[in-house]
Amino acid sequence: MSEGLKKSPSNGFENSLTPEEQQEKINEVRRLVGPLPEKLSIYCSDASISRHLRARNWSVKKATKILKETLKWRAQYKPEEIRWEEVAREAETGKIYRTNYVDRHGRTVLVMRPSCQNSKSTKGQIRYLVYCMENAILNLSPDQEQMVWLIDFHGFNLSHISLKVTKETAHVLQDHYPERLGLAILYNPPKFFEPFWMAAKVFLEPKTYNKVKFVYSNEVNTMKIMEDLFDMNHLESAFGGKDNSGFDISKYAERMKEDDKRIPSLWTGGSHPSVAPQPALTSTASFNASKDSHSDASENDETDSSQLHGKNTEIASPEHNTPAIDSGIKGLENVHLEEVTTQEDQAHG
């Protein structure tokens, strides 16, 4: 199997596949997707395709579908082009940030504080989340491909609940960053959060919500999760650790600006971690990005329980058109997924 594939938890079906069978499925997905422009070709490493397959229980048909949708989204949304200056306003309160420590498995850690929400723009909030996801991936160790979310509920109240943002977050995480979340720890959630959590689970795949753990500072058995996962000397005091330094926006901004400088070199085909360059389209190739992304109806977001049974909405696409890329997803759209019928689809579809 390709050296670009990294270790991650597997399910029973994956365990039943030999490395050769897994590689065959990866190759089949790549064949169905076809030639791509350079950046998207770099994104479609064996490791990336493997994550899409694992997220869909190794179904070639389903994995190809979500991968195609992600390629369209990346062509439009251009997550790798988001820079600190664009999202700095969203970051000011420390509502999401990457820590300067990792867990005992070497996984990048994102801290989230819903009570520090400083924006009513769903579009802005999701844009910043995507920036944080890309930055967390940028800083993964060579042998890791997943991250940990630490969600701090200190100061959380009903006004911080937004089904709309939760729904968009679930969509981005599950459909565009499959198998990137290793674990999400909800730290000291209040009692009134439980009904919201039950509602939010509607938007989550079982694989995703099974990665969510509730931890309470006054319960020794749940705090053991933190002790097993982290060096308590480095963990922030807000999560029961011994580090009292806290979040400093000035220092954090400098870290992010330095990280931003590293991004361009990762998308030129030579130095992206775990990537074997794939056949790329020329600049004259026709790659039509899908125009079906939905904009926010309003920048002011309110909790709307009527969305519980709605379909996932796409993230708003950038305001500017992208003619240079406007031509290669056409090849993706021409892939007839109904023709991809495999035995595992029938068994696990």
Side-chain angles (χ1 to χ4, degrees), residues 249-289:
I249 183 60
S250 298
K251 292 180 180 178
Y252 191 68
E254 291 306 311
R255 283 174 60 199
M256 295 302 101
K257 290 176 184 177
E258 288 302 310
D259 281 351
D260 284 356
K261 295 175 183 178
R262 296 161 49 200
I263 296 173
S265 64
L266 301 184
W267 296 98
T268 56
S271 58
H272 197 276
S274 305
V275 167
Q278 310 302 330
L281 293 177
T282 64
S283 58
T284 57
S286 77
F287 196 80
N288 280 328

Side-chain angles (χ1 to χ4, degrees), residues 10-26:
S10 61
N11 54 36
F13 181 67
E14 181 174 349
N15 288 335
S16 71
L17 294 175
T18 66
E20 291 74 21
E21 290 170 332
Q22 291 182 27
Q23 188 65 54
E24 286 175 7
K25 288 179 179 291
I26 291 168

Side-chain angles (χ1 to χ4, degrees), residues 161-177:
I161 291 178
S162 170
L163 286 178
K164 184 176 183 181
V165 173
T166 299
K167 185 177 180 181
E168 293 284 4
T169 299
H171 168 58
V172 168
L173 176 66
Q174 295 178 142
D175 294 347
H176 300 319
Y177 295 93

Side-chain angles (χ1 to χ4, degrees), residues 91-115:
E92 287 178 350
T93 59
K95 64 184 179 184
I96 308 177
Y97 61 90
R98 179 177 61 80
T99 66
N100 56 9
Y101 57 86
V102 295
D103 77 348
R104 294 188 190 277
H105 302 286
R107 295 179 293 193
T108 306
V109 179
L110 286 182
V111 166
M112 301 182 176
R113 292 194 163 96
S115 65

Side-chain angles (χ1 to χ4, degrees), residues 8 15 44 46 58 73 94 100 105 147 212 246-247 275 281 302 310 317 327 341:
S8 67
N15 288 335
C44 281
D46 279 7
W58 289 88
W73 175 76
N100 56 9
H105 302 286
M147 66 188 74
V212 177
F247 176 75
V275 167
L281 293 177
E302 299 177 354
S317 58
S327 53
T341 54

Side-chain angles (χ1 to χ4, degrees), residues 21-193:
E21 290 170 332
Q22 291 182 27
Q23 188 65 54
E24 286 175 7
K25 288 179 179 291
I26 291 168
N27 295 341
E28 177 67 3
V29 171
R30 178 171 286 113
R31 184 188 68 79
L32 290 167
V33 169
L36 296 167
E38 185 179 33
K39 283 185 180 179
L40 297 185
S41 174
I42 291 171
Y43 175 80
C44 281
S45 64
D46 279 7
S48 178
I49 295 174
S50 174
R51 286 191 297 273
H52 285 78
L53 281 162
R54 294 201 309 272
R56 293 300 182 267
N57 206 21
W58 289 88
S59 164
V60 169
K61 179 178 179 179
K62 293 177 181 179
T64 302
K65 182 177 184 293
I66 63 167
L67 178 56
K68 285 172 53 185
E69 290 170 352
T70 292
L71 292 171
K72 293 177 185 179
W73 175 76
R74 292 191 74 92
Q76 280 190 305
Y77 203 73
K78 301 183 186 304
E80 77 283 353
E81 295 185 11
I82 304 174
R83 296 294 181 268
W84 173 253
E85 288 74 14
E86 179 184 343
V87 297
R89 173 68 181 83
E90 292 280 343
E92 287 178 350
T93 59
K95 64 184 179 184
I96 308 177
Y97 61 90
R98 179 177 61 80
T99 66
N100 56 9
Y101 57 86
V102 295
D103 77 348
R104 294 188 190 277
H105 302 286
R107 295 179 293 193
T108 306
V109 179
L110 286 182
V111 166
M112 301 182 176
R113 292 194 163 96
S115 65
C116 294
Q117 184 55 258
N118 62 338
S119 168
K120 293 184 178 180
S121 167
T122 301
K123 184 188 297 184
Q125 292 175 47
I126 296 300
R127 189 80 172 164
Y128 181 52
L129 172 66
V130 169
Y131 174 82
C132 291
M133 292 292 292
E134 293 285 317
N135 181 267
I137 293 167
L138 174 71
N139 285 279
L140 284 171
S141 60
D143 62 341
Q144 258 299 348
E145 59 179 2
Q146 293 187 319
M147 66 188 74
V148 174
W149 289 5
L150 284 179
I151 306 174
D152 180 10
F153 280 86
H154 177 75
F156 184 82
N157 59 50
L158 288 171
S159 70
H160 300 126
I161 291 178
S162 170
L163 286 178
K164 184 176 183 181
V165 173
T166 299
K167 185 177 180 181
E168 293 284 4
T169 299
H171 168 58
V172 168
L173 176 66
Q174 295 178 142
D175 294 347
H176 300 319
Y177 295 93
E179 291 298 303
R180 283 299 194 182
L181 180 65
L183 181 67
I185 293 177
L186 278 55
Y187 193 80
N188 283 337
K191 194 72 175 175
F192 65 78
F193 177 77

Side-chain angles (χ1 to χ4, degrees), residues 284-307:
T284 57
S286 77
F287 196 80
N288 280 328
S290 168
K291 306 299 182 190
D292 58 1
S293 292
H294 304 299
S295 302
D296 291 302
S298 169
E299 286 296 285
N300 293 324
D301 180 36
E302 299 177 354
T303 301
D304 182 3
S305 60
S306 67
Q307 297 182 59

Side-chain angles (χ1 to χ4, degrees), residues 305-323:
S305 60
S306 67
Q307 297 182 59
L308 278 174
H309 302 291
K311 295 182 180 178
N312 283 341
T313 53
E314 294 290 336
I315 304 304
S317 58
E319 296 179 0
H320 303 292
N321 292 328
T322 56

